[in-house]
Amino acid sequence: MRVRVGSFQVGDLRVRLRTLAPAGRLHDSLAPTVVLVHGIGMSHRSFAHTQRVLARTHRTVAVDLPGFGGLPPAGRRLQVEELADLVVAAVRDGGAETVVAIGQSMGTQVVAEAALRHPDVVRAVVLVGPVCDRSRRTLLRQALDLTRDTVVETPRMNAVVTTDYLRSIRQYVRELGPMLRHRLEDVLPRLTQPVLVVRGDRDPIARREWSESLAQAAPRGALVELPGGHHVQERHPEAFGRLVEEFRRVQTLEDAR
């Protein structure tokens, strides 16, 4: 397995890409690359275990968005649409031609917008713990749900969340508004790509009714639950990896018809 970490400057914004792939496929641009986009306040560390599992068979790229993961703050508020364009530009600069985009929490908004705005690049979308539930779009409710999730998560994930939040607090505060205003339920019906919604069965943030409604809103949508909370991809990376592999296999068969 090979690792490459590099920063890309897109306009006035810096993005970091952590590429992990099987030996010989680090620079492979022919097969779709699996791109991993973290949630608000987080970094590539929220996909650390997941990326290692997926990288056994795929070229994978974990993204650190501007102001997160130790990158300098953007100095301004970034809308979800701008972040989507930024991710696509960065991964294409990094050598990817087509991608399967996996987002977690706020990252689900980013990858959904990327699929809408760049359908020639984003071939399929996986939404893990999608936000924000239409019935809970206030700072107070989101804070309460985030606190409830700490009871469900592992000590390691709670430590990652705390330390990532502390080092990204300036950009975190700026992105709260765009995250709360974004309407994922309005984007998904416009996607032509396959969409897989994944939630933890104890996730207090991406609740079941909300997640089911998103899967139903996408023309080619499906919902799967795994045991765990909001960061279920890290609690069960092996199961999540198999899920993504099966999703990709079905997507490839459908596209070949």
Side-chain angles (χ1 to χ4, degrees):
M1 196 173 292
R2 298 289 185 268
V3 182
R4 182 181 67 199
V5 179
S7 294
F8 291 80
Q9 194 75 23
V10 182
D12 62 336
L13 301 173
R14 190 187 305 174
V15 180
R16 184 188 297 119
L17 303 182
R18 183 177 185 269
T19 304
L20 193 62
R25 293 188 59 183
L26 191 62
H27 304 282
D28 181 10
S29 63
L30 298 179
T33 295
V34 176
V35 174
L36 306 163
V37 182
H38 61 79
I40 189 168
M42 300 299 294
S43 71
H44 71 274
R45 297 197 300 162
S46 61
F47 282 107
H49 293 161
T50 305
Q51 186 176 19
R52 283 196 292 272
V53 170
L54 292 172
R56 295 171 188 166
T57 53
H58 299 80
R59 182 175 183 264
T60 66
V61 178
V63 178
D64 282 330
L65 297 171
F68 300 107
L71 291 176
R76 58 187 174 88
R77 180 176 294 170
L78 302 174
Q79 300 301 320
V80 173
E81 296 82 357
E82 185 175 4
L83 290 172
D85 291 344
L86 188 65
V87 167
V88 171
V91 297
R92 295 204 72 177
D93 282 351
E97 295 294 329
T98 59
V99 307
V100 174
I102 301 176
Q104 196 271 335
S105 199
M106 188 190 75
T108 62
Q109 300 174 333
V110 176
V111 300
E113 286 288 351
L116 179 65
R117 298 164 72 85
H118 305 277
D120 56 325
V121 177
V122 182
R123 297 294 179 85
V125 177
V126 181
L127 310 177
V128 186
V131 296
C132 292
D133 188 325
R134 64 168 65 89
S135 67
R136 307 188 66 77
R137 285 188 177 124
T138 68
L139 284 177
L140 177 59
R141 286 180 173 176
Q142 289 296 304
L144 289 173
D145 290 345
L146 181 63
T147 301
R148 292 186 183 105
D149 188 59
T150 62
V151 179
V152 182
E153 302 294 348
T154 64
R156 173 204 169 258
M157 183 49 65
N158 281 330
V160 169
V161 170
T162 301
T163 53
D164 272 357
Y165 274 28
L166 288 174
R167 63 177 177 165
S168 67
I169 190 64
R170 292 169 64 187
Q171 197 65 37
Y172 174 89
V173 171
R174 290 189 175 103
E175 298 309 317
L176 284 171
M179 182 188 74
L180 290 171
R181 286 192 296 270
H182 187 267
R183 299 294 185 263
L184 192 56
E185 68 270 27
D186 293 340
V187 176
L188 295 186
R190 301 163 63 190
L191 298 187
T192 59
Q193 302 94 324
V195 175
L196 177 63
V197 180
V198 181
R199 72 174 294 269
D201 63 358
R202 298 175 64 194
D203 186 349
I205 298 172
R207 300 185 177 204
R208 179 174 296 165
E209 183 179 358
W210 162 248
S211 299
E212 287 177 342
S213 71
L214 293 178
Q216 293 167 2
R220 302 171 66 185
L223 170 67
V224 174
E225 288 187 323
L226 294 173
H230 196 50
H231 296 272
V232 69
Q233 81 286 353
E234 284 292 279
R235 192 177 190 95
H236 300 287
E238 297 285 349
F240 183 78
R242 290 192 297 270
L243 191 60
V244 172
E245 181 62 35
E246 179 64 15
F247 176 61
R248 276 209 56 210
R249 187 185 68 80
V250 172
Q251 172 231 335
T252 302
L253 290 174
E254 289 181 353
D255 289 346
R257 290 174 184 171

